[in-house]
Amino acid sequence: MIDMRAELESLPKTIDEELEALYLQHASECADLNKQIIKKGLNSGTDIHGDPFRPLEPSTEKSRRSHGYSTSPPLKASGDLYRGIRKRGQFVFDTARSKKGEFYGTFHNEGFTHHISGKPVPDTAPFKREFFGTPDNFFESAEYKVLDKKLQKETNALLKSRKKKKRI
């Protein structure tokens, strides 16, 4: 009886694995683009829909001036909100937290109301400034179309290269 064994360093990837890798790379590039769009909006004072943020209230302007912070875009004080926009793999996260551990980026993005004894206090909340998210027109943007064209080109090249291989 003959015992034949062989070790392979790695097996060739299947087309499914190669396509999955292409699409994961594309999703990662989309996340990078989304992060850039979010930061661009913060720098210009516009939300993810391209609309300008509501002007600061006089009390907020006064408070910002007293602390030496700008009252015009970009509205960066500590920079924690801006630096808190992180990308991991194919996802973009808002990781900015207050000293109490609250996600204050979420408060600005969704708006909130202060409560005293469980009752909302009018005119005490930051107004909604939807800075974080994916714009409705993301897939129609010129920047995305470049990424999509790249994906189509790489997919077509992969499929074409697989057709040339002969199976034995």
Side-chain angles (χ1 to χ4, degrees), residues 122-149:
D123 300 324
T124 59
F127 294 100
K128 181 176 180 176
R129 290 184 169 91
E130 201 173 353
F131 74 94
F132 188 88
T134 303
D136 293 337
N137 67 345
F138 181 84
F139 296 106
E140 287 81 38
S141 70
E143 296 92 343
Y144 174 77
K145 289 186 185 222
V146 169
L147 294 179
D148 187 48
K149 191 173 188 177

Side-chain angles (χ1 to χ4, degrees), residues 41-113:
L42 284 172
N43 287 334
S44 65
T46 56
D47 66 19
I48 62 168
H49 309 292
D51 298 323
F53 290 143
R54 182 178 174 154
L56 297 175
E57 294 294 313
S59 60
T60 304
E61 284 187 350
K62 183 179 176 182
S63 173
R64 289 184 66 84
R65 278 195 200 96
S66 72
H67 291 95
Y69 300 140
S70 172
T71 58
S72 60
L75 296 172
K76 293 181 191 171
S78 67
D80 290 343
L81 182 68
Y82 194 79
R83 284 190 304 275
I85 301 166
R86 304 245 173 106
K87 180 209 163 237
R88 291 186 190 117
Q90 297 82 31
F91 303 99
V92 180
F93 297 92
D94 167 23
T95 62
R97 293 183 183 215
S98 69
K99 291 177 183 174
K100 296 178 183 178
E102 300 162 328
F103 286 98
Y104 62 82
T106 303
F107 292 146
H108 286 281
N109 202 56
E110 297 175 6
F112 70 101
T113 303

Side-chain angles (χ1 to χ4, degrees), residues 10-37:
S10 65
L11 294 172
K13 287 185 173 179
T14 66
I15 192 159
D16 290 341
E17 291 170 326
E18 291 181 51
L19 285 170
E20 181 180 6
L22 282 179
Y23 281 94
L24 286 173
Q25 178 62 33
H26 177 72
S28 179
E29 291 169 352
C30 287
D32 283 328
L33 175 59
N34 199 27
K35 180 179 172 183
Q36 291 171 6
I37 291 169

